[in-house]
Amino acid sequence: MNRRVVTGMKIGQNRMKWLLPVVVCLLLAGCDFTVPLSGKPGMAIDKQAVGLWQRVLPDGDTERLLVMALNEREYVLCWPKGADTELFARAHLFEYSGRTLVQLQWFGNSEGAAPDDDRVFQIAAYSVAGDVLEIRMLNADVTGKDFRSSDELAKAIENNHDNPTLYSEVMIFKKARVEN
């Protein structure tokens, strides 16, 4: 789900019906890690990040991400919000190497299907300023994916901390205006 995790998309009416299932399969296959980087949620959620976010893609489609507070320390994410099949993750903030990161654990979709393998974790850097949410996913092409422990994953990140491609290109979302 790398790079696409915290986004959602609205497939245009003129798209073929087979496109969404193919995209969802590709995204599920793209989940990065079998081990978490962070243990239990220890930080309070950033309430500024809660809400419905969207961005317009170059082809004109709109991606949507819904971030909800599950409790004081965890979020639930829904992506792509509004699509025929939405994906769900639990997420929490943690401090790592002087930076606040988000750990995501994907657990299922709106059709009731759970992931079919253990590659369910992703890590993201983010910032919120007013009505703008910026997200950069940890790039598993740089760190590698096949770790037996959280310590191995942490070491791979540390070994690449100066690599400018350690995180993906920034995804910029704006707070969605909900109309009544």
Side-chain angles (χ1 to χ4, degrees):
M1 293 200 203
N2 194 2
R3 297 159 282 288
R4 305 144 307 248
V5 167
V6 287
T7 62
M9 89 182 133
K10 177 182 174 189
I11 301 296
Q13 296 287 335
N14 59 351
R15 302 276 171 113
M16 291 187 234
K17 291 193 182 248
W18 57 267
L19 180 60
L20 184 60
V22 169
V23 169
V24 169
C25 288
L26 289 172
L27 294 176
L28 287 172
C31 288
D32 296 324
F33 308 110
T34 59
V35 297
L37 181 59
S38 168
K40 293 183 179 182
M43 295 179 68
I45 64 170
D46 180 348
K47 292 181 181 177
Q48 293 180 93
V50 173
L52 181 62
W53 301 90
Q54 65 186 23
R55 71 180 183 151
V56 177
L57 299 173
D59 66 2
D61 283 343
T62 300
E63 287 188 325
R64 290 190 176 89
L65 165 71
L66 179 60
V67 179
M68 299 177 291
L70 178 61
N71 55 48
E72 291 179 0
R73 299 188 184 279
E74 292 178 286
Y75 303 98
V76 172
L77 304 179
C78 176
W79 174 84
K81 177 66 181 134
D84 290 340
T85 302
E86 298 170 324
L87 306 175
F88 298 95
R90 286 180 87 129
H92 69 267
L93 301 177
F94 66 103
E95 196 70 31
Y96 182 78
S97 197
R99 188 175 202 177
T100 300
L101 299 176
V102 180
Q103 179 169 281
L104 300 120
Q105 182 176 5
W106 295 94
F107 62 84
N109 68 30
S110 58
E111 295 177 359
D116 60 1
D117 66 19
D118 292 336
R119 203 170 290 282
V120 295
F121 296 101
Q122 288 186 302
I123 308 298
Y126 85 102
S127 67
V128 179
D131 286 348
V132 177
L133 171 66
E134 295 185 356
I135 300 166
R136 295 181 64 167
M137 302 305 296
L138 183 66
N139 187 348
D141 291 336
V142 172
T143 61
K145 291 184 176 192
D146 299 317
F147 302 105
R148 294 181 302 241
S149 70
S150 299
D151 289 338
E152 285 183 7
L153 174 56
K155 185 175 181 177
I157 294 169
E158 287 303 316
N159 289 343
N160 289 285
H161 76 277
D162 287 332
N163 187 329
T165 62
L166 181 58
Y167 290 89
S168 68
E169 292 293 319
V170 67
M171 296 179 285
I172 300 172
F173 294 86
K174 295 189 178 183
K175 190 75 109 168
R177 306 239 185 265
V178 180
E179 297 180 26
N180 294 334

